[in-house]
Every structure is written in C-alpha cells, then in structure tokens.
Amino acid sequence: MTGGGPERAVGGCSPCESAVWRGVSVFQALSLALLLVVTLGALFVWKAAATGWLILGVQMGFVALAVWRIASILISRDAVPAPPSEMIRPKGGWPRYTMLIALHDEAEVVGQLITRLAKIDYPPDRLEALLLLEAHDGATIAAAAQADRPHWMRIVVVPPGAPQTKPRALNFGLAQARGGLVTIYDAEDDPDPFQLREAAARFAADTPRRLACLQAPLRIRRRGCDHAAPFLDRQFAVEYASLFEVALPALARLGLPFPLGGTSNHFRADVLRAVGGWDAWNVTEDADLGFRLWRGGWTLGVLSRPTYETPPGDLELWLPQRTRWLKGYMQTWGVHTRSLAGLGLRGAAALTLTLGVGLASAAIHAATLAWVMTAMLVAATAGLSPGTPVFGLCVLVLGAAAAWLQGKIGAMRAHVPYSATDMMAAPAYWSLLSLAFVHAAWRLVREPFAWDKTTHFRDGEPEGKSELEEALIKVDAGRQAA
C-alpha cells in the first residue's frame, strides 16, 4: 500500500468501511460461530431429520426467490416516471453537470467515445467532462489529445498511486468536478442524448432532497465486431435486461437500496463527497456505493433514458469481467455485513436479494445442473424413472421458470431478442457463472484488489434500432426544435 494510507486512498471512507480491511468484525464472527454451532449440533443430535430440514430450508429459499422474481415483474411495471418532464427547464435553470470518464488502455475507442458524448443534449455552458487518464498510459493520452473534443471536455491525468483502479481515478476527478450533479460513463458507452436533462429534472423535482442517485438502464446492443460471441452476447444482454429493466426498478419503487451499475449513475455531488466517494479498493465500487448511500440516509432511483453498451465478447473476454464482478460482490457483501447499523432490516433484505442471491446462485448453478443431469442419465441407463424427489424437481422448475420469465419481460422492455432457443440455452450460461465464481473466490484470496479490466474494441455500425427507439429520437428532435 502506498500513498497517504487507506483513508486517503478510499476518498474519505475509514478502513473498516472499505474493502481494504480484510478482517472479520465481531458481529460476523459471532454470527458465523452461532450458525456453525447450531448446524453441527442439529446434525449431531437429530442426524437424518436435521439433514432433511436443511434441504427443505434451501428449497424454500429457492421458492422465496422465485416469488420475488415474479413479484418484481409486477412491481416494476410503470415504476419509472414518464420521460417528457426531462425537457422542462427546472426552476433556477439547468444545474452545472460534470461527467467523469475513467479510461485505461482505451486508445482504440477513446475517439469513438468522445464523438458519442459530444452528442449529449445539455446546455454547453453548464457542462463539463473530465477524461481521467492514467499517467503511464501514453497511448490513450495521445489518442484523446488528437481527438476533436468539445470545449467543455478536458483531459485530466491521474498521478501514479495505489491501487490502480477505476474508483481511485473517479475520486481524483470528483475532487476537481465543478458540477452540482455528477455522472460517470465508461469507454464503450453510448448514452441517450437526453439522459442528463431527465436526471437534472428528476433531482429538481425531489423537494425533500433525499434522492442521492439515479441509475440509467444499461442496454446491450450488439455491433459488428470480430470478437462477437452470439451465445454469450445474447445471454449477457438478457441478464442486463433482467437486472436494469425489472429488478432495479422494483427495488427503487419499494424504496430499497440496490447495487448501482458501473456506469450511467447520476449523483448529487455534495452527497457523493459526504459519503467519501468511491471505495478505491473495491473492484465493484458501484455495488458498494449504492448501499453506502443508503446507510447515509439517502435514497436511490432509476431513469428511463438508457445507455447502450456492447457485450464483452467471447469466453476469454467474458470470464475476467464476470470474475471481477463476483469478486467485488464478495468484497461488498463482506463490508456491509460487518454491522447492520445503518443498514437495517430493509437494507439487509435488499442486500440479500441482490448480492447474496447473486453469489449463492453463481455458486450452485453448475452443481445443480450436474445433479439433475446425472440423476436423469443414471435413471435412463438403468431403465428406471428418476429417483429425484418430486418436490425438489418442482422447486428447480419453478426457479428456472421465474428466471426465464423475468428475463423475457426484461428483454421485451429493453428491446433485445430472447427466443425459446435462448431460454433453453440459459442454464448453460448460468453454469458458466459457477466457473466465474470459483475464479472469483480464488482471486479474492490471492489478489483481492487486482482489477481484471475488460478489453474494449471499436464498434461497427449497430445491428439497428427498434422502431420504438427511432420514434423516440424523432419525438425528442421535434421537442428540441420547438
């Protein structure tokens, strides 16, 4: 560890509130000890009965998750306010807005990103964008310097330091941001031009001033690229749709916290500084920040204007990204279960429904699928009916059906394809998450703060916008002209 110690590196968080501290709190130690004693004691005293109750408990957990997924579909319907209000100028005028864009080894796509951000529709005199580039990354610095940048966009070189992560660069940029509102974008992003106007209007309409962050939906749009992987790309797009079109809007409507996406989150700058910015030692700083804002007494919301992204690509590119996400989820789970103070029962429930379920599902997907396939194969070979308990199979079918339904509804809202073939292939994709989970657990032990960066490539032309997207663009253009 270098620099001014962990307090300085995490931008204001104390070490015990950050992933930099890898110890176990008293609450965690007591909880683990109690769970271990009760489980082993029950197994020793009641043996077979205790095993049955344990299995039943796991099955009921699956049922509860399926019920939540179905409920989230209903709750998330019309959860996002209609977008026309974003064109109405807030009282007092449009607030100053800062975009923070942390880039590393992105010489190939920085020009493309600058072109996209230049299309954002917001008063230029109220806008600034900081391209946060690492001091040693000469190629990206040179490419950014040569690009035709708007006058409100400037290059900021982040000095060397540890850890070399995206959140550390964002904290450096936050210290220089002049906007009352702040948003972040990634190298591959293509944000809706009116996203900032919608966010500014939503913040202005929040008269209690308890809304700290608004998350825009992230939608995967496949483009012409040599690294395309049709199976992974389609499943990845549906996974995003399920999260950003169903799960997060449902949580926002219920007034619960949720893990933010890694980009297109819009903040009140003063609130972001008050909670210490991003945790530079957490490799999913976005997930952590959503719950840290909640602990500070703030609320989160969602927007309607999306940001389009491209999928990672083939397995060689997809696996490191998912490994980092799951490793960061483990870090965030560890940080926010050190104490329930400030999190509360509602916050703990949201943490469990998002990070907890995500980790547990990734851990058991492959094992569950292997168990079912083995039981069926053995039964077929012996000429017998499968010996798997009927209730267990019903629970698995219910869980899969709820996941499929949530994915289908999310895909429809995001206008991404999800055919019957994609649905049948989904368990194979879910099993790959178990591979990423094993990688993540190993990396958490060996290299907890290493950042597995996603490689980005310059996109070709998109496969095409939907008729709805084209119609929205025309309507917005007409409003703006008026």
Side-chain angles (χ1 to χ4, degrees), residues 191-254:
D192 184 291
F194 299 100
Q195 191 180 107
L196 268 61
R197 287 180 180 266
E198 180 186 2
R202 287 281 303 281
F203 280 122
D206 174 42
T207 50
R209 197 176 160 76
R210 301 311 304 165
L211 181 64
C213 177
L214 289 164
Q215 172 69 61
L218 305 181
R219 295 179 181 171
I220 302 301
R221 185 169 61 193
R222 296 176 63 197
R223 293 174 176 266
C225 179
D226 294 337
H227 298 269
F231 166 69
L232 288 175
D233 291 352
R234 292 171 73 93
Q235 296 293 334
F236 189 83
V238 173
E239 185 180 19
Y240 259 49
S242 177
L243 176 64
F244 289 99
E245 310 291 340
V246 179
L248 299 194
L251 290 165
R253 190 169 196 172
L254 292 173

Side-chain angles (χ1 to χ4, degrees), residues 256-386:
L256 295 175
F258 52 81
L260 299 174
T263 176
S264 306
N265 11 77
H266 301 253
F267 303 94
R268 296 187 192 273
D270 56 344
V271 174
L272 186 55
R273 292 188 178 100
V275 299
W278 293 270
D279 181 356
W281 300 89
N282 192 318
V283 297
T284 52
E285 77 295 334
D286 44 352
D288 167 75
L289 184 55
F291 290 98
R292 193 140 45 83
L293 287 168
W294 167 267
R295 284 180 178 272
W298 302 95
T299 62
L300 312 176
V302 291
L303 296 171
S304 65
R305 298 286 179 175
T307 292
Y308 293 96
E309 292 191 332
T310 50
D314 54 32
L315 185 62
E316 184 179 358
L317 299 171
W318 176 90
L319 184 59
Q321 184 188 59
R322 293 316 304 257
T323 296
R324 174 170 60 81
W325 288 0
L326 289 171
K327 183 175 74 172
Y329 278 13
M330 294 174 188
Q331 288 180 316
T332 303
W333 177 266
V335 168
H336 288 281
T337 56
R338 289 171 184 166
S339 171
L340 294 184
L343 191 62
L345 292 179
R346 297 176 72 235
L351 184 72
T352 302
L353 285 172
T354 53
L355 303 189
V357 165
L359 289 170
S361 299
I364 66 175
H365 272 316
T368 303
L369 182 62
W371 169 62
V372 173
M373 293 182 66
T374 300
M376 295 178 64
L377 181 61
V378 170
T381 303
L384 303 172
S385 60

Side-chain angles (χ1 to χ4, degrees), residues 37 46 90 100 106 158 183 277:
V37 169
W46 291 291
L100 300 178
E106 301 289 6
V158 181
T183 188

Side-chain angles (χ1 to χ4, degrees), residues 133-223:
L133 311 181
E134 299 292 338
H136 69 275
D137 189 6
T140 305
I141 293 175
Q146 293 169 10
D148 184 16
R149 304 188 310 278
H151 68 86
W152 41 263
M153 182 180 295
R154 59 192 174 98
I155 296 173
V156 176
V157 177
V158 181
Q164 187 179 299
T165 58
K166 171 185 171 182
R168 176 180 174 272
L170 292 175
N171 283 331
F172 186 81
L174 180 61
Q176 304 184 46
R178 294 174 292 180
L181 299 178
V182 172
T183 188
I184 64 172
Y185 289 118
D186 281 347
E188 76 276 24
D189 285 354
D190 186 4
D192 184 291
F194 299 100
Q195 191 180 107
L196 268 61
R197 287 180 180 266
E198 180 186 2
R202 287 281 303 281
F203 280 122
D206 174 42
T207 50
R209 197 176 160 76
R210 301 311 304 165
L211 181 64
C213 177
L214 289 164
Q215 172 69 61
L218 305 181
R219 295 179 181 171
I220 302 301
R221 185 169 61 193
R222 296 176 63 197
R223 293 174 176 266

Side-chain angles (χ1 to χ4, degrees), residues 441-482:
W442 176 251
R443 294 293 301 279
L444 182 65
V445 174
R446 300 291 296 178
E447 298 176 292
F449 311 122
W451 188 278
D452 293 302
K453 184 187 175 301
T454 304
T455 303
H456 300 119
F457 304 94
R458 189 173 181 83
D459 299 330
E461 288 302 312
E463 292 184 344
K465 296 184 176 69
S466 68
E467 293 181 2
L468 177 60
E469 291 174 70
E470 294 286 3
L472 285 173
I473 290 175
K474 291 179 181 178
V475 170
D476 288 332
R479 285 185 184 143
Q480 196 63 10

Side-chain angles (χ1 to χ4, degrees), residues 73 76 241 245-246 404-414 418:
I73 294 172
S76 63
E245 310 291 340
V246 179
W404 281 327
L405 182 60
Q406 187 181 44
K408 182 63 176 179
I409 298 299
M412 292 171 61
R413 294 175 181 175
Y418 195 41

